[in-house]
Amino acid sequence: MRLTGDLTPGTMNSSGSGNFLLVPIPECPLLDCVPNKTVKIVVLGASNVGKTALIVRFLTKRFIGDYEANTGALYSRKVTLEGEEVSLQIQDTPCVTLQDDAEGLYCQEQINRSIYWADGYVLVFSITDNDSYRTIQPLYQHVRRIHPSGNIPVILVGNKSDLLRARQVPADEGETLAAALGGVYFEASARENHEGVHAAFLHLCQEVIRALGGGNGEKRRGGLHLARPKSPNMQELKRRFRQVLSSKVKSATTL
Ligand SMILES: Nc1nc2c(ncn2[C@@H]2O[C@H](COP(=O)(O)OP(=O)(O)OP(=O)(O)O)[C@@H](O)[C@H]2O)c(=O)[nH]1
């Protein structure tokens, strides 16, 4: 769903699905961008699982509770990660739906564009809704089809953990699925708890920065991720120096 009422500063909104990601998203809308340090995250999941609530909770620490139907909004903020300032963009999306015929997933074209655009993925289901959980695997496969190779930073969020009595998805199933997708599972309640939501988003941001090569703007597109060569540290240089010296001493004494 889309956040109603006043949009917080730094929030870009596309009113009406027609505008949803139809134009390229500016790297740093309404903000002084941090050059080459932009983390782009998309939040995906079935209907009513709390995608908007999670984003709003993370960015404002508040739970508003009532949102109008989601047409897709892009939220943008500057955050400090591991001591460095980063421009964070989070794309909210309309829901995806499972088709009756087995693995079919209905995903609007705008969502595909967001998936292509993003660097990191928050896959959300509600612990009270088994169908929303069943959507996750095909959804991940869909992301994989759009990014066929390379590392895909992803987290799995089981939302609405305050509704324990209505639980349909056990926590260990969430953990197992997250591990199979190569991500981490977070159980959270956008309604009752900011810390859990914050920890989840923060973890993903860190994963994205790692995947992008230390946040220096290298792009993962095409799946190619080259590790940056490490420069030798002082200890290592001293060790090499001693090695060279001792081999010279040896060859001098053998003469
Ligand atoms: N109890 C409880 N309710 C929640 C929680 N998160 C969201 N909700 C409620 O669930 C409903 C759906 O929340 P949204 O954030 O609009 O969900 P969405 O996934 O964006 O929904 P779509 O627009 O259908 O894609 C709202 O009534 C929220 O108040 C939660 O952690 N606990």
Side-chain angles (χ1 to χ4, degrees):
M1 288 190 184
R2 181 166 69 88
L3 173 63
T4 55
D6 267 1
L7 291 170
T8 46
T11 300
M12 280 206 344
N13 176 46
S14 326
S15 54
S17 56
N19 290 335
F20 181 83
L21 280 186
L22 281 181
V23 288
I25 297 167
E27 284 299 295
C28 274
L30 311 179
L31 284 172
D32 295 334
C33 187
V34 183
N36 295 330
K37 290 210 168 109
T38 304
V39 172
K40 297 169 184 170
I41 285 175
V42 65
V43 180
L44 301 162
S47 171
N48 214 36
V49 294
K51 297 181 291 297
T52 308
L54 287 165
I55 297 171
V56 172
R57 184 55 121 162
F58 172 60
L59 294 175
T60 69
K61 298 192 177 172
R62 286 186 297 162
F63 179 75
I64 293 152
D66 217 5
Y67 311 90
E68 75 181 44
N70 187 359
T71 51
L74 177 72
Y75 302 89
S76 187
R77 282 293 148 81
K78 266 194 218 168
V79 293
T80 303
L81 286 175
E82 293 173 355
E84 286 203 83
E85 208 170 56
V86 168
S87 302
L88 173 63
Q89 297 184 343
I90 306 179
Q91 177 72 61
D92 197 0
T93 57
C95 62
V96 296
T97 40
L98 265 186
Q99 305 286 65
D100 291 337
D101 56 342
E103 64 178 50
L105 182 79
Y106 177 68
C107 215
Q108 293 181 27
E109 188 47 37
Q110 307 114 309
I111 298 179
N112 293 337
R113 282 198 288 270
S114 316
I115 292 173
Y116 181 75
W117 162 86
D119 300 314
Y121 303 85
V122 181
L123 306 184
V124 187
F125 68 92
S126 163
I127 66 152
T128 65
D129 176 3
N130 200 43
D131 286 346
S132 72
Y133 174 76
R134 287 198 309 114
T135 309
I136 298 293
Q137 182 94 40
L139 182 54
Y140 177 78
Q141 279 159 0
H142 190 71
V143 172
R144 266 269 166 231
R145 273 195 289 275
I146 293 176
H147 293 289
S149 55
N151 174 23
I152 294 183
V154 63
I155 57 167
L156 180 62
V157 177
N159 190 36
K160 306 198 183 183
S161 65
D162 55 293
L163 299 177
L164 277 179
R165 285 194 185 165
R167 184 192 278 278
Q168 291 184 359
V169 184
D172 58 348
E173 281 194 28
E175 278 162 17
T176 308
L177 178 57
L181 307 182
V184 174
Y185 179 57
F186 292 87
E187 213 152 81
S189 166
R191 184 188 188 99
E192 300 217 324
N193 180 288
H194 168 70
E195 282 72 27
V197 177
H198 189 258
F201 275 92
L202 209 64
H203 176 86
L204 182 61
C205 289
Q206 282 160 345
E207 288 296 304
V208 168
I209 284 178
R210 229 162 273 147
L212 292 179
N216 63 359
E218 285 168 36
K219 214 47 180 150
R220 164 185 42 80
R221 298 286 176 242
L224 183 64
H225 171 55
L226 297 175
R228 284 194 300 168
K230 281 189 187 149
S231 56
N233 60 27
M234 220 39 211
Q235 298 282 3
E236 176 66 3
L237 283 176
K238 281 183 188 164
R239 195 183 62 77
R240 283 192 209 165
F241 188 59
R242 275 198 298 271
Q243 238 175 12
V244 173
L245 264 185
S246 73
S247 68
K248 281 201 173 145
V249 170
K250 267 183 206 152
S251 51
T253 50
T254 49
L255 280 175

